[in-house]
């Protein structure tokens, strides 16, 4: 076998493996990938730009792309918003409530909190810089970084009228996310945080 043929076969195998890895990443992230994620898989800047130009990737936010088609599911929208805001970003407030199944977003706005000081802005995303947001107040639900039910309820208390907040707490109880007594006890660890009172 010639060296040229061997080189072509190896290049084809590398290309196929890279494409499989991209689709695996996209599946785990609800159809969304980042430029940095693609570069970690070995794609050059030119290769990413080529995929954008040919419609294999679709720009969602700077450095964040939908793979194959531009439409995203709600989980894809949430994952894209979190990825667009950086490694320490989490879904929060009303978006977290919708992900947990006990509330609804306000219009098409996605609420994201980032655990660092920043003035980041992204279209369609309300970004809150919250360097004091504790890692114990963050988890993953359906692979999406999100605030815990207790933290989400505290956050909602800063935005909702009391009657609506009571309904949300009741929904959280019905879904076994947190019961009112456990919530009351948990609040002791959040003293001084807006929404606790």
């Amino acid at each position: 076998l010639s060296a040229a043929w061997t080189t072509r076969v190896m290049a084809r195998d590398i290309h196929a493996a890279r494409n499989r890895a991209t689709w695996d990443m996209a599946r785990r992230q609800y159809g969304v990938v980042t430029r940095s994620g693609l570069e970690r898989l070995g794609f050059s800047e030119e290769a990413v730009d080529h995929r954008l130009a040919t419609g294999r990737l679709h720009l969602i936010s700077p450095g964040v792309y939908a793979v194959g088609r531009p439409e995203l599911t709600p989980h894809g929208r949430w994952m894209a918003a979190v990825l667009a805001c950086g490694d320490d970003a989490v879904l929060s407030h009303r978006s977290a409530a919708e992900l947990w199944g006990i509330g609804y977003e306000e219009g098409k706005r996605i609420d994201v909190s980032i655990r660092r000081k920043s003035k980041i802005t992204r279209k369609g995303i309300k970004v809150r810089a919250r360097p004091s947001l504790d890692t114990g107040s963050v988890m993953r639900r359906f692979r999406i970084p999100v605030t815990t039910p207790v933290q989400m309820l505290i956050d909602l208390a800063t935005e909702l009228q009391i009657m609506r907040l009571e309904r949300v707490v009741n929904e959280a109880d019905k879904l076994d996310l947190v019961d009112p007594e456990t919530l009351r006890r948990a609040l002791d660890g959040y003293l001084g945080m807006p929404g606790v009172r």
Side-chain angles (χ1 to χ4, degrees):
L1 299 175
S2 72
W5 182 85
T6 302
T7 301
R8 278 198 306 274
V9 169
M10 287 176 60
R12 185 192 68 213
D13 290 347
I14 290 169
H15 180 75
R18 193 176 294 149
N19 283 338
R20 277 193 305 277
T22 302
W23 280 108
D24 288 344
M25 180 190 298
R27 274 190 287 279
R28 285 191 312 274
Q29 297 179 163
Y30 302 100
V32 179
V33 296
T34 61
R35 180 176 286 269
S36 60
L38 293 171
E39 288 172 353
R40 279 193 302 274
L41 292 177
F43 286 95
S44 66
E45 191 173 316
E46 294 78 22
V48 174
D49 292 340
H50 173 72
R51 281 161 177 74
L52 275 166
T54 58
R56 291 158 74 187
L57 293 175
H58 303 273
L59 182 67
I60 302 298
S61 191
V64 180
Y65 314 104
V67 178
R69 58 189 174 88
E71 298 82 18
L72 294 173
T73 65
H75 287 77
R77 286 179 56 248
W78 292 326
M79 183 64 86
V82 169
L83 290 172
C85 294
D87 292 338
D88 52 1
V90 299
L91 212 60
S92 65
H93 295 75
R94 294 176 195 228
S95 297
E98 188 163 337
L99 179 60
W100 283 108
I102 61 171
Y104 298 96
E105 286 179 328
E106 192 171 87
K108 296 252 184 226
R109 182 192 85 194
I110 299 174
D111 293 311
V112 172
S113 290
I114 52 174
R115 296 179 326 194
R116 68 180 187 277
K117 289 183 180 180
S118 176
K119 295 184 192 269
I120 190 171
T121 58
R122 294 286 184 263
K123 185 179 177 188
I125 304 172
K126 181 169 184 176
V127 182
R128 294 169 172 90
R130 299 172 68 186
S132 63
L133 185 62
D134 187 84
T135 55
S137 296
V138 173
M139 60 188 307
R140 286 185 180 263
R141 179 166 171 81
F142 307 125
R143 300 185 307 273
I144 299 171
V146 63
T147 52
T148 62
V150 169
Q151 182 65 60
M152 177 262 305
L153 290 170
I154 293 169
D155 293 341
L156 289 178
T158 66
E159 296 186 354
L160 301 181
Q161 298 293 325
I162 191 70
M163 294 294 286
R164 192 149 168 229
L165 181 61
E166 285 177 8
R167 282 196 296 271
V168 171
V169 171
N170 288 336
E171 281 299 308
D173 185 21
K174 280 188 220 169
L175 294 175
D176 289 328
L177 299 176
V178 64
D179 64 84
E181 192 53 43
T182 303
L183 177 59
R184 277 188 207 94
R185 285 194 307 271
L187 291 178
D188 290 340
Y190 295 86
L191 292 177
M193 182 179 287
V196 170
R197 192 172 68 79

